[in-house]
Amino acid sequence: MTTATDPFDYEAALRACARGDRHALQSLYLQESPRLLGVALRIVRERQAAEDVVHDAFVNIWTRAGSFDAARGAGRGWIYSIVRHGALDAVRNGARQVHASEDALDAIDAEAALQQPMADAFELRDNLGRLHDCLTQLDAAKRNSILYAYVDGCSHSEIAERLKSPLGTVKAWIKRGLTALRECMV
């Protein structure tokens, strides 16, 4: 496990996966699987479907690790995008949606929290505080577009419908907003 002074090196783990190092994949799984399950569950709304999405995502991570390009983004973000896209594909492909109760979601979050060391909780809180500050610096359209996409799991067309804006505009807001967030978080 990592601590605040010894951050997990996602890029190195992905390079090792590309070389066929199974321990690197196991390390990625131990590091991120509880949070990735939470991301998938919030989108597909069914535990079994979310577990399937995470499983498929790790198969994709293993087989596509060689295509990861650190110049295009962070390794952790690449991993999360694979899970998010897999979950959205599952919903689009007619995966059954069962809305989990808040109690069930809280139980899953509590289970995931127990599996992470205390240092991660402090680091997460610090990062969330910075993320909140960076999000407040964005204009409302960009901020809402990003939140709809990454928190609610909406597709670009669903966001355009919610915001009553053209699809191309929403895509531009998300792209520019993510660029601004990346710069702010550094």
Side-chain angles (χ1 to χ4, degrees):
M1 289 295 159
T2 61
T3 64
T5 58
D6 182 28
F8 188 84
D9 190 347
Y10 294 91
E11 289 77 12
L14 289 170
R15 285 191 303 271
C17 285
R19 291 190 308 269
D21 183 347
R22 293 176 186 259
H23 294 292
L25 184 67
Q26 181 182 17
S27 295
L28 279 172
Y29 182 83
L30 292 172
Q31 179 71 23
E32 289 297 324
S33 63
R35 289 181 287 263
L36 293 172
L37 180 62
V39 169
L41 186 61
R42 281 183 173 76
I43 296 171
V44 299
R45 305 277 185 202
E46 183 182 90
R47 174 84 185 207
Q48 184 60 47
E51 289 174 356
D52 290 345
V53 166
V54 172
H55 173 269
D56 292 347
F58 274 95
V59 170
N60 281 332
I61 290 165
W62 177 251
T63 58
R64 295 177 42 209
S67 70
F68 168 71
D69 181 5
R72 296 182 64 201
R76 188 173 188 207
W78 187 76
I79 292 166
Y80 274 76
S81 70
I82 289 174
V83 171
R84 182 177 171 278
H85 290 340
L88 290 171
D89 286 345
V91 170
R92 284 187 205 111
N93 291 334
R96 198 172 120 227
Q97 291 185 2
V98 176
H99 296 283
S101 69
E102 286 300 316
D103 291 338
L105 292 174
D106 290 342
I108 291 167
D109 289 341
E111 179 184 323
L114 290 175
Q115 295 177 10
Q116 297 301 314
M118 187 56 70
D120 280 354
F122 292 119
E123 181 181 341
L124 179 62
R125 182 164 296 179
D126 179 50
N127 286 340
L128 287 176
R130 284 193 331 209
L131 179 60
H132 178 267
D133 293 343
C134 292
L135 280 168
T136 59
Q137 293 176 18
L138 294 177
D139 62 70
K142 290 176 187 161
R143 180 176 52 247
N144 290 338
S145 296
I146 289 171
L147 292 175
Y148 284 145
Y150 291 95
V151 176
D152 291 345
C154 295
S155 67
H156 288 144
S157 55
E158 290 170 333
I159 297 167
E161 186 177 311
R162 284 185 182 191
L163 296 178
K164 303 201 181 337
S165 300
L167 180 61
T169 301
V170 167
K171 288 180 179 182
W173 285 339
I174 292 172
K175 182 177 180 180
R176 291 180 188 136
L178 289 174
T179 301
L181 283 178
R182 246 183 245 112
E183 291 171 2
C184 180
M185 292 292 290
V186 173

